[in-house]
Amino acid sequence: MVDREDCIYFAKLAEQAERYEEMVEHVKTVAKMDINLSTEERNLLSVAYKNVVGSRRHSWRILSSYECKENESGNSASTNAKLCQSERKKVEGELKDICNDIINLLDEHLIKVDGSGEKSYDSLVFYIKMKGDYYRYMAEFLEGSDRQEMAESSLKAYQQATEYAVEHLQPQHPIRLGLALNFSVFYYEILNSPDKACGMARSAFDDALTNLDQTSDESYKDSTLILQLLRDNLTLWSSDSDAGENKQQQAKIEDLEDGN
């Protein structure tokens, strides 16, 4: 029988060694035990998948940029353009596999556990938010009806998580703030709705700031960090009309939150 403590130790070891694929396998083993994860275990799961998908999202952006340059130079039929396209599609396949893997894990083990019996609403919101995140990551590169399907699934997950968060978590709770941050990014980047994104981010920021003095010591640092990220996004979205460069900067800001 696999020992839970051993798996967590190996996951931490893999994190320190930056062997994130191995880290994923160790935390996935624990998640499949169908037990409620501790906060530490939950964060290890998030960090593991964030890193394996994050490196590929970064690769996809670079490959897409090179492919676009080749096409703009009139070299769309060149060997270089075809090589860029081939590598991009390879990365897209890897992204699909990773995103579907964590979504299935969440649906089949984690959300089901925390959705039965006595509910841990911070975990429940955390996991459903993760579903929204990974559907969103697929919507970033898919096209046509596939993109629409992922966008709708992401929206549904974010909306469900928000319903639980508003009812059961305080406005300054870091998980509720992290959800608002990522949900607003979804509106800005995937649905191309800057007004909705700004409204959601500003409302979350103002509500949390009003209640910040009620934050526990252990949550204060995380809450203030996400408040800063919300403010940074609002500054980028509100003050600049150049969507290209600023969207790329914003995406880097948002990615810092995933481990909370």
Side-chain angles (χ1 to χ4, degrees), residues 19-253:
R19 297 174 66 86
Y20 296 110
E21 280 78 7
E22 293 179 14
M23 185 182 181
V24 162
E25 293 306 313
H26 292 307
V27 293
K28 190 159 65 171
T29 297
V30 175
K32 287 183 176 180
M33 293 177 182
D34 289 332
I35 52 178
N36 289 320
L37 301 186
S38 67
T39 299
E40 180 186 41
E41 292 166 344
R42 188 181 69 199
N43 288 338
L44 286 170
L45 175 80
S46 178
V47 168
Y49 276 96
K50 179 197 75 172
N51 279 281
V52 295
V53 83
S55 62
R56 288 163 176 84
R57 289 173 74 205
H58 179 67
S59 297
W60 184 86
R61 292 185 186 116
I62 292 174
L63 292 168
S64 296
S65 176
Y66 273 92
E67 183 181 1
C68 184
K69 289 177 182 177
E70 292 290 340
N71 292 334
E72 288 175 351
S73 301
N75 299 325
S76 59
S78 70
T79 300
N80 286 347
K82 291 178 180 178
L83 288 172
C84 290
Q85 183 185 62
S86 175
E87 284 301 299
R88 172 179 58 79
K89 289 184 176 180
K90 178 182 176 182
V91 172
E92 288 177 359
E94 293 173 0
L95 278 167
K96 286 182 190 176
D97 289 342
I98 296 166
C99 291
N100 285 322
D101 183 47
I102 180 59
I103 289 168
N104 289 336
L105 188 70
L106 290 163
D107 279 337
E108 295 174 10
H109 300 280
L110 297 169
I111 293 174
K112 183 166 60 177
V113 167
D114 277 301
S116 60
E118 184 178 352
K119 291 182 175 64
S120 170
Y121 284 105
D122 57 345
S123 292
L124 193 60
V125 172
F126 185 93
Y127 294 140
I128 300 174
K129 167 193 163 293
M130 281 186 73
K131 276 185 65 176
D133 291 340
Y134 285 89
Y135 279 125
R136 171 164 58 89
Y137 298 155
M138 287 192 281
E140 288 176 345
F141 63 84
L142 291 172
E143 298 177 348
S145 60
D146 290 336
R147 184 183 191 277
Q148 180 65 26
E149 181 183 352
M150 293 303 103
E152 289 175 356
S153 295
S154 182
L155 177 61
K156 182 179 178 181
Y158 283 138
Q159 288 175 332
Q160 183 182 19
T162 299
E163 289 176 6
Y164 284 120
V166 169
E167 184 174 356
H168 298 285
L169 303 180
Q170 293 298 313
Q172 74 278 12
H173 194 292
I175 292 176
R176 178 169 168 179
L177 279 173
L179 168 62
L181 173 68
N182 288 14
F183 199 177
S184 64
V185 168
F186 168 82
Y187 272 111
Y188 188 81
E189 292 193 332
I190 304 302
L191 296 189
N192 195 27
S193 301
D195 290 343
K196 181 73 173 179
C198 288
M200 179 176 290
R202 187 173 293 109
S203 177
F205 182 90
D206 291 344
D207 290 347
L209 199 62
T210 301
N211 295 276
L212 196 59
D213 59 349
Q214 303 174 31
T215 308
S216 66
D217 291 341
E218 61 182 21
S219 297
Y220 187 83
K221 182 179 179 181
D222 289 338
S223 295
T224 53
L225 171 63
I226 301 170
L227 281 170
Q228 181 63 54
L229 299 180
L230 283 165
R231 184 165 61 182
D232 290 344
N233 282 2
L234 282 167
T235 299
L236 287 169
W237 295 341
S238 301
S239 65
D240 296 299
S241 59
D242 182 4
E245 179 182 354
N246 291 329
K247 267 194 176 185
Q248 194 171 35
Q249 291 178 32
Q250 176 273 325
K252 293 177 183 177
I253 291 172

Side-chain angles (χ1 to χ4, degrees), residues 4-22:
R4 178 180 182 177
E5 291 185 3
D6 286 349
C7 286
I8 295 303
Y9 177 78
F10 281 125
K12 292 177 182 178
L13 200 61
E15 180 184 13
Q16 293 302 312
E18 298 184 0
R19 297 174 66 86
Y20 296 110
E21 280 78 7
E22 293 179 14

